[in-house]
Each structure stands twice: as C-alpha cells, then as structure tokens.
Amino acid sequence: TDRKKLHTAPVGQVFRLRPFHVLVATGGGYAGYRKYEDYKLEQLEKRGIEVPVKLASEWEVALYKSVPTRLLSRAWGRLNQVELPTWLRKPVYSLYIWTFGVNMKEAAVEDLHHYRNLSEFFRRKLKPQVRPVCCVHSVISPSDGKILNFGQVKNCEVEQVKGVTYSLESFLGPRISTEEMHFSQAPPGNSFQQQLVTKEGNELYHCVIYLAPGDYHCFHSPTDWTVSHRRHFPGSLMSVNPGVARWIKELFCHNERVVLTGDWKHGFFSLTAVGATNVGSIRIYFDQDLHTNSPSYSKGSYNDFSFISNNKEGIPMRKGEHLGEFNLGSTIVLIFEAPKDFKFNLKAGQKIRFGEALGSL
C-alpha cells in the first residue's frame, strides 16, 4: 500500500517513428557506408589497382537523395559564419589544416588568428606569386584540384570519370537563343553537340576538375572570353568526390550548378560550377543576383539571366582574372569549342594548380 504508482505512456507512443526520421537515419547510415567504400577505392587506386565501374541502382540514388543534404549544407553555411573566439581559432584551423593537408605558406595571410570564422578561412586568398598564370598556353586551369577527366565530347555524352558519362544537353540545359550569343549557330536540325560547334573544322572538348576540401576554393577565368549568359540549376547537393562520381551516373546533372556560357576566339565556351554537400553557396563575383541553395525550389527547374540584354557587350573576362568561389570544395567543368589540333597537356588523376596549362593549339 505504500508503493508509489508509476504512470507510463503506451509503448506505441514511446517508440513512434516519423517517416522523416527513418529517411534521415537510413539515408545517413547509407551515406556513411558509401564514404567507407570510397575510402577503400582510393586505397586501391593508390596501389595502382584498376577498379571496375559499378553504377548505383535507381533505389540507391533515391536513398542517397533522401538525406537532407541541402538543409545540412545551409546549416553548415550558417555555422561557418559564427565568429570564433580568438583563443579557439588556431586549434580549430590547425585541425582542419592537418586533416586536409592545407598549405598555409601559400596564403596571403598566414596568421590563423586573422580569420574570424570558418567561412573566411575557407575563402582565404593566396599570395600573388605562388600561382603564376601561364602565358604560353591558351587555356589554363581555373582552380586547384584533381583532373577527373578530359578529352573530346562524343555522341552528346561527357565523361565525369572514366567509364561513367552524363548527357551534354541535360547538363547544360536547352540551347540558348541566338540573340544572346555573339556568334551564329548551327541549324536546329542538328544534334545538340553540333549546335554548339559554330565553326567548321572545330570539335567540342571538356575537362573536369575536382576541388577537395583542402584546396584553394576560389576559381578564375581559364582564358580570355566573354560571358553572355548564366543558367542556374537548383538541385541536390550530393558529394562529388571521385568515388561518388564513379558510382552515380549523371551525378553532375542531379546536383545544383551554375552554367556560364559565352564565346572565346575559337567559338563556344562554358564554365560550370557544380555544387556539392556542405557547399553552402556558389558565388560569381560579377553576378549579384545569383543566390544558390535556397530553401525552396522546383525539381528539374532552372533560371536564366542574360548579360547581353543588361550589358550590350557581355562580361569580358581575362585569363587568370578572379571569377568566383565555393564555400568548401566542389567541381569545375569546362566545355568549349576549339580547332581539331587542340591538345590537352594533362593526365587523368593528376593534381593541378590554378594558372597551370590545361591545353593549347
């Protein structure tokens, strides 16, 4: 009679799981498993063992997409903006430097106490002399990174890594009207790839550069060209590291990206900045109207902005000029037209730095 009465909730209420929680837990666990698989693949590559291509099934891609990477990336972006106490800056940044192999001797400001938050540290500038711009070759690397793939575009398909492709039209979107371009275009009856090639005897080329978290996060103009159009694709923010790029077909078409198109001395030229997990923003310095990773967007949508209608001559860019930046690290894709004797001075998998030659005539 002296025992206290215990009031307990029904078991069903205690263990009630919401669908969102199940998706986050399942998707997050699977993403962790994929990270482990990517690590094993990287170790095999370092030992020179060729890894067979194994593409993800539709349900695997859907499961990965169930992870709220856009929400997590926005949260990460806000966390990066939090000002750190002076005494905490050196330990936090030192851990990041040690984890990702950052070379702070190249930074314009080496003192870690100078960077008020992680965002400033990620977007650190370099000393001018550490990245000399090659004047001999016509196309230079727009950023630091790793060369995933390069070569001619064939059959309207582009390789994101060896053996894994994506559709050229899905990646760039529908053809831009001739009024927004400086040069004449092929008749609409031709394939999408042929419509981009504006001069007889030219070919379409591509180059994919992956920026790791420890790389310099700004990107620059790869050549002298004029930007006439910007197309922004909202989308997923899945990881774009080489392991995932080898696993998910058309990964770059799923992810958020900003496509800049225009022309250079040989015809069509484009640079695309592809978003990724924890890349809270893609910033283009001359485009103040661009806002990436917004909370609401329509799947499969895109929005266009013409620099011809607002600036009759477009936006002229000089080789090596500052163009934009990522919040953490991602991928740059170049797709451009050039004569048939254009040659890349690259090897797949090699590390490259901004200013070094990609190729020339």
Side-chain angles (χ1 to χ4, degrees):
T1 56
D2 294 332
R3 290 180 182 177
K4 295 181 179 179
K5 293 183 179 180
L6 299 177
H7 298 275
T8 58
V11 175
Q13 292 182 9
V14 174
F15 294 100
R16 182 184 299 169
L17 292 176
R18 299 180 183 277
F20 176 76
H21 299 155
V22 174
L23 287 174
V24 171
T26 308
Y30 193 75
Y33 166 75
R34 288 306 314 173
K35 285 288 185 181
Y36 174 68
E37 290 293 311
D38 295 340
Y39 172 77
K40 292 198 298 184
L41 290 176
E42 288 178 4
Q43 297 305 309
L44 291 174
E45 286 182 344
K46 288 180 180 178
R47 292 161 55 187
I49 301 174
E50 187 172 351
V51 181
V53 174
K54 183 181 178 181
L55 294 177
S57 61
E58 291 185 8
W59 73 265
E60 287 178 308
V61 175
L63 184 58
Y64 191 1
K65 282 186 172 183
S66 71
V67 181
T69 52
R70 293 180 63 86
L71 177 62
L72 293 173
S73 297
R74 284 194 296 274
W76 176 255
R78 292 182 180 180
L79 179 63
N80 289 346
Q81 299 292 334
V82 176
E83 185 169 342
L84 297 176
T86 305
W87 61 270
L88 189 58
R89 294 174 188 177
K90 189 171 182 178
V92 170
Y93 301 148
S94 296
L95 177 62
Y96 185 91
I97 291 168
W98 177 79
T99 303
F100 297 108
V102 179
N103 184 2
M104 283 302 294
K105 292 183 179 180
E106 296 180 337
V109 180
E110 296 184 39
D111 182 12
L112 297 180
H113 296 99
H114 169 79
Y115 303 100
R116 294 174 298 176
N117 52 48
L118 283 166
S119 181
E120 286 188 2
F121 179 72
F122 294 146
R123 297 180 288 106
R124 63 192 177 277
K125 304 300 181 184
L126 298 180
K127 296 173 183 175
Q129 65 271 20
V130 300
R131 293 292 188 275
V133 175
C134 177
C135 299
V136 178
H137 296 270
S138 55
V139 183
I140 62 168
S141 176
S143 66
D144 290 5
K146 178 181 181 180
I147 301 296
L148 293 189
N149 215 299
F150 64 92
Q152 284 190 17
V153 177
K154 298 179 180 179
N155 302 320
C156 294
E157 292 281 326
V158 186
E159 283 193 318
Q160 57 192 30
V161 294
K162 185 178 180 181
V164 182
T165 62
Y166 56 92
S167 164
L168 178 65
E169 186 169 6
S170 296
F171 181 69
L172 296 179
R175 187 170 67 102
I176 301 168
S177 63
T178 56
E179 289 80 7
E180 298 186 38
M181 307 302 284
H182 286 280
F183 45 84
S184 61
Q185 294 187 335
N190 295 344
S191 69
F192 184 80
Q193 178 178 337
Q194 293 172 326
Q195 291 173 24
L196 297 180
V197 179
T198 64
K199 298 181 180 180
E200 187 176 353
N202 282 2
E203 298 287 349
L204 204 62
Y205 297 87
H206 74 100
C207 183
V208 183
I209 305 171
Y210 167 68
L211 289 75
D215 288 327
Y216 169 56
H217 293 87
C218 297
F219 51 94
H220 301 245
S221 175
T223 191
D224 295 335
W225 65 307
T226 300
V227 182
S228 56
H229 187 272
R230 179 258 290 161
R231 176 169 284 163
H232 172 216
F233 290 86
S236 301
L237 286 175
M238 295 183 284
S239 171
V240 292
N241 73 54
V244 178
R246 187 185 295 108
W247 180 55
I248 298 181
K249 182 178 175 63
E250 298 204 333
L251 171 64
F252 298 157
C253 298
H254 289 295
N255 272 16
E256 181 163 19
R257 60 198 182 277
V258 177
V259 183
L260 300 178
T261 55
D263 64 292
W264 70 319
K265 59 183 178 181
H266 299 296
F268 174 81
F269 198 96
S270 72
L271 180 149
T272 302
V274 183
T277 308
N278 289 339
V279 180
S281 64
I282 301 171
R283 182 183 175 194
I284 304 298
Y285 294 139
F286 59 75
D287 189 354
Q288 302 302 316
D289 295 322
L290 175 65
H291 300 286
T292 59
N293 196 11
S294 60
S296 59
Y297 74 100
S298 299
K299 185 177 179 180
S301 66
Y302 63 86
N303 56 76
D304 288 342
F305 186 86
S306 173
F307 298 108
I308 297 297
S309 58
N310 293 274
N311 183 334
K312 295 298 183 182
E313 301 300 323
I315 307 295
M317 298 297 301
R318 296 293 169 258
K319 184 165 64 175
E321 186 178 351
H322 277 83
L323 182 55
E325 62 187 37
F326 291 110
N327 189 47
L328 184 58
S330 193
T331 299
I332 295 286
V333 179
L334 301 179
I335 298 175
F336 58 92
E337 169 186 2
K340 292 182 178 180
D341 57 351
F342 181 87
K343 300 294 182 184
F344 284 102
N345 302 314
L346 302 171
K347 292 181 180 179
Q350 79 171 69
K351 292 288 292 182
I352 197 166
R353 303 201 303 176
F354 155 60
E356 294 179 344
L358 288 182
S360 189
L361 298 171

